[in-house]
Amino acid sequence: MNRELIVRSSSDAVDFALLKDGKLIELHKEEDNNSFSVGDIFLAKIRKPVTGLNAAFVNVGYEKDAFLHYHDLGPQLSTLLKFVKLARTGKLKDFSLKNFPFEKDIDKNGGINEVVKANQSILVQIVKEPISTKGPRISSELSIAGRYLVMVPFSDRVSVSQKIESRQEKDRLKRLVTSIKPKGFGVIIRTVAEGKKVAELDRDLQNLHHKWIAMCKTLRRAGHPSKVLVEMNRASSILRDVFNDSFTGIHVDDESLYENIKDYLHEIAPEKESIVKQYKGTSPIFEKFGIERQIKTSFGKTASMSRGAYLVIEHTEALHVIDVNSGNRSNKAKNQEDTALEVNLLAATEIARQLRLRDMGGIIVVDFIDMTRGEHRRKLFDHLREEMKDDRAKHKILPPSKFGLVQITRQRVRPEMNIKTSEENPNGNGKEVEAPIVLIDKINVELERILKGKHTNNGIVLNLHPFIAAYLSKGFPSIRTKWFLEHKKWVKIQPRDAYTYLEYRFKDKDGKVLK
């Protein structure tokens, strides 16, 4: 399995495309004006506690106040408030927490008015970026994420990622981290720490501790509200979260960004530093790696799969709905049940990719093709879970219902990636059509279906607009030549001046339309 990260830089944003065996699975955009990224820590003021919501509204500098629920305060809120007050007044010089006395934990079922009051200074962390009309969601249970570990101030607990399955490895990591962690800090051991040596874990922990000390030193002079700890830039944070030994290339089209990524990789995996390449080609980097085409074909209401199967993706106020369609799919399956299973397994793979690609969150309901056999439904459920195991967003999948519905909940921490793929109709009628670049894919699918039919002995003639005809037949190897090599069948291309740009028809040599 090959993984590549393609980074495109422009004047106001940086785009990151994650490829798995050449297929686009994640797309991220970092904009210069995004001041409220997940992981950022702010010194803020409580605007007002609201008893009815058991929450407080907090001024973090966004146009709408951030929402802080009682359950997001963290058990050691009293200690945090005391620490912030002493640091702000200059009475606290040692920020290491090794000699800082902890207060009693707050009651987990208490009320917001019992623990905070208006105009109180507090440190909060962004856990959900502003989405639609809502302000950011925040927490005062702080954490600072590193490559292998997450450090939690005002805690002594050490916990291990549930994705590490070996009990022996969990015990080893817990024992190591307990022996090296600084007093006053808890640690969460991430999945990528599996198999790592104590020196690597200790280096990561020391970096996080230095970040904490540096942040605390800014508190005395910081205003309200102000960002006191910036989550690392998106390039580094993506590398921190997804980078592993299967990465074969990181391609960047900007020199300064190339140097930054190379420096960061030198810190976390020096043996992989050589895979970072600066792209200097003449064509845009996303076109060179086929990403623009994948974006056009992957976003939008309909997502195509192989041999005519496709997904229809609809968004409502409350949830996302995905419908699985077999289309004109023809295969060698002996019965309808086997066909349904084959299409559903294919759809499950594409759905797992679509959720990551669009960063869809909340409730997702998938209407798979009905299957009557229980073992087939179990196979589909297991396959979907396997395909989604690499998804970094927290999610839960329920088994298929009797109606073939699968319900998924997926964590949403930033706005959904939404890219418009429809374009102005080149035929000039004022309407919009799906991206013309998809036209060749549609022709490919229809050709495959026709070749599997019974009426291809009388030849195949493709009638279309002269521009598209030239695109298919010119150059070497042309698309038509590739069809011949793959299907062992020659397709005659007939330009038609009367056809509009996106119009095409398959006919036999007698002029009869092939369906």
Side-chain angles (χ1 to χ4, degrees):
M1 184 201 313
N2 291 332
R3 286 177 183 263
E4 293 178 292
L5 184 67
I6 315 301
V7 185
R8 177 179 68 181
S9 179
S10 63
S11 59
D12 59 347
V14 181
D15 295 301
F16 305 90
L18 182 62
L19 304 182
K20 179 180 175 182
D21 292 332
K23 195 156 190 179
L24 181 65
I25 57 172
E26 284 190 30
L27 188 64
H28 301 275
K29 182 185 285 285
E30 181 182 41
E31 296 178 304
D32 288 343
N33 61 357
N34 187 13
S35 304
F36 300 91
S37 298
V38 172
D40 288 348
I41 296 179
F42 285 78
L43 177 67
K45 259 192 182 174
I46 296 191
R47 184 91 71 182
K48 61 177 178 181
V50 182
T51 309
L53 298 173
N54 204 19
F57 287 100
V58 181
N59 176 21
V60 293
Y62 188 67
E63 57 192 63
K64 291 197 173 183
D65 287 341
F67 184 79
L68 179 62
H69 194 272
Y70 186 89
H71 292 147
D72 294 323
L73 293 172
Q76 275 292 321
L77 175 73
S78 302
T79 308
L80 172 67
L81 293 173
K82 179 181 174 183
F83 180 87
V84 172
K85 186 176 180 179
L86 292 174
R88 292 278 296 156
T89 56
K91 294 178 181 177
L92 183 67
K93 305 295 183 185
D94 180 12
F95 303 119
S96 67
L97 302 186
K98 61 184 177 182
N99 297 315
F100 193 79
F102 281 19
E103 301 292 311
K104 185 181 176 183
D105 286 5
I106 62 172
D107 182 2
K108 64 180 180 181
N109 296 315
I112 194 77
N113 279 323
E114 299 166 10
V115 291
V116 298
K117 55 182 182 287
N119 295 319
Q120 200 166 16
S121 293
I122 187 171
L123 282 174
V124 294
Q125 189 165 31
I126 306 292
V127 296
K128 193 172 182 179
E129 292 178 12
I131 297 175
S132 185
T133 59
K134 298 177 182 177
R137 181 82 182 257
I138 57 177
S139 170
S140 56
E141 190 169 18
L142 309 178
S143 62
I144 306 174
R147 172 75 177 135
Y148 306 116
L149 308 169
V150 178
M151 193 173 75
V152 184
F154 311 111
S155 171
D156 279 317
R157 185 181 174 193
V158 176
S159 56
V160 188
S161 166
Q162 294 297 318
K163 291 185 179 180
I164 298 177
E165 296 175 355
S166 166
R167 170 51 57 189
Q168 189 177 357
E169 178 63 4
K170 280 186 175 182
D171 291 342
R172 181 189 78 89
L173 288 169
K174 199 166 186 176
R175 192 168 58 251
L176 281 179
V177 171
T178 303
S179 67
I180 61 173
K181 79 172 186 66
K183 187 181 177 185
F185 294 90
V187 175
I188 302 167
I189 302 169
R190 307 183 71 177
T191 310
V192 287
E194 189 170 6
K196 299 302 175 186
K197 296 178 181 177
V198 66
E200 294 173 281
L201 301 178
D202 186 55
R203 185 166 62 247
D204 198 33
L205 200 56
Q206 291 302 320
N207 287 339
L208 298 177
H209 194 253
H210 291 325
K211 271 190 178 183
W212 166 260
I213 299 294
M215 181 197 79
C216 292
K217 287 178 179 177
T218 67
L219 292 180
R220 189 173 182 186
R221 294 182 180 84
H224 290 90
S226 60
K227 191 185 295 188
V228 291
L229 181 69
V230 180
E231 167 70 344
M232 62 175 63
N233 63 58
R234 188 62 62 87
S236 299
S237 66
I238 288 174
L239 282 174
R240 180 191 68 196
D241 293 340
V242 306
F243 184 81
N244 56 38
D245 293 337
S246 68
F247 264 71
T248 55
I250 299 172
H251 303 271
V252 193
D253 67 353
D254 179 80
E255 187 175 358
S256 62
L257 207 53
Y258 161 75
E259 294 293 345
N260 289 342
I261 291 175
K262 197 168 183 180
D263 289 345
Y264 181 70
L265 215 60
H266 179 74
E267 287 181 23
I268 66 169
E271 73 282 358
K272 283 281 191 176
E273 190 181 340
S274 60
I275 70 171
V276 186
K277 311 285 186 191
Q278 185 181 356
Y279 177 73
K280 296 181 179 179
T282 52
S283 59
I285 188 169
F286 270 24
E287 288 191 14
K288 169 69 176 175
F289 288 91
I291 295 167
E292 287 290 5
R293 184 180 190 87
Q294 292 193 57
I295 290 172
K296 294 281 189 184
T297 57
S298 298
F299 287 85
K301 183 178 177 180
T302 303
S304 299
M305 299 182 288
S306 64
R307 294 186 176 87
Y310 62 96
L311 305 176
V312 177
I313 303 172
E314 300 269 14
H315 309 284
T316 74
E317 191 68 27
L319 45 80
H320 308 278
V321 182
I322 302 176
D323 185 35
V324 178
N325 292 274
S326 60
N328 298 312
R329 188 182 178 84
S330 58
N331 58 20
K332 298 177 182 178
K334 295 179 181 178
N335 55 55
Q336 187 176 350
E337 180 76 9
D338 290 343
T339 301
L341 176 62
E342 184 183 348
V343 174
N344 282 341
L345 293 177
L346 190 71
T349 301
E350 181 62 20
I351 286 164
R353 171 178 171 258
Q354 286 286 338
L355 296 184
R356 290 177 69 180
L357 190 56
R358 302 181 186 220
D359 208 2
M360 291 163 61
I363 300 172
I364 301 110
V365 178
V366 186
D367 182 12
F368 284 100
I369 299 171
D370 288 353
M371 296 184 295
T372 56
R373 293 169 62 177
E375 71 232 52
H376 284 179
R377 290 198 294 270
R378 280 193 298 275
K379 188 173 182 179
L380 171 63
F381 179 55
D382 292 340
H383 181 72
L384 182 57
R385 287 198 302 178
E386 179 66 22
E387 289 293 323
M388 288 190 66
K389 75 176 185 180
D390 290 334
D391 195 335
R392 288 175 291 137
K394 292 178 184 175
H395 59 271
K396 187 173 183 179
I397 309 169
L398 296 183
S401 72
K402 291 180 181 179
F403 303 113
L405 298 178
V406 170
Q407 298 172 68
I408 304 170
T409 60
R410 188 175 182 273
Q411 181 188 29
R412 178 166 61 177
V413 297
R414 49 180 63 94
E416 180 187 338
M417 178 68 71
N418 190 11
I419 295 176
K420 184 180 178 183
T421 57
S422 59
E423 297 179 11
E424 187 177 335
N425 192 334
N427 299 318
N429 58 9
K431 296 181 180 179
E432 288 192 338
V433 293
E434 65 180 338
I437 199 170
V438 181
L439 179 68
I440 306 303
D441 294 336
K442 290 174 71 175
I443 291 174
N444 275 323
V445 169
E446 195 161 333
L447 177 63
E448 280 188 25
R449 181 177 55 77
I450 288 170
L451 288 170
K452 286 183 170 62
K454 302 175 182 176
H455 309 293
T456 59
N457 294 330
N458 202 21
I460 300 175
V461 181
L462 176 56
N463 292 249
L464 31 59
H465 190 277
F467 287 0
I468 312 300
Y471 180 77
L472 292 174
S473 56
K474 302 298 181 184
F476 183 83
S478 67
I479 293 175
R480 176 171 55 178
T481 304
K482 290 177 181 176
W483 286 345
F484 177 73
L485 294 173
E486 182 179 354
H487 303 294
K488 306 298 184 285
K489 196 85 175 178
W490 185 254
V491 178
K492 182 179 180 182
I493 292 179
Q494 182 73 55
R496 289 299 172 108
D497 293 341
Y499 277 28
T500 58
Y501 288 105
L502 307 181
E503 187 179 358
Y504 68 92
R505 286 185 183 87
F506 282 99
K507 297 182 179 181
D508 63 17
K509 65 181 181 182
D510 296 327
K512 184 180 177 182
V513 175
L514 297 173
K515 294 183 179 179

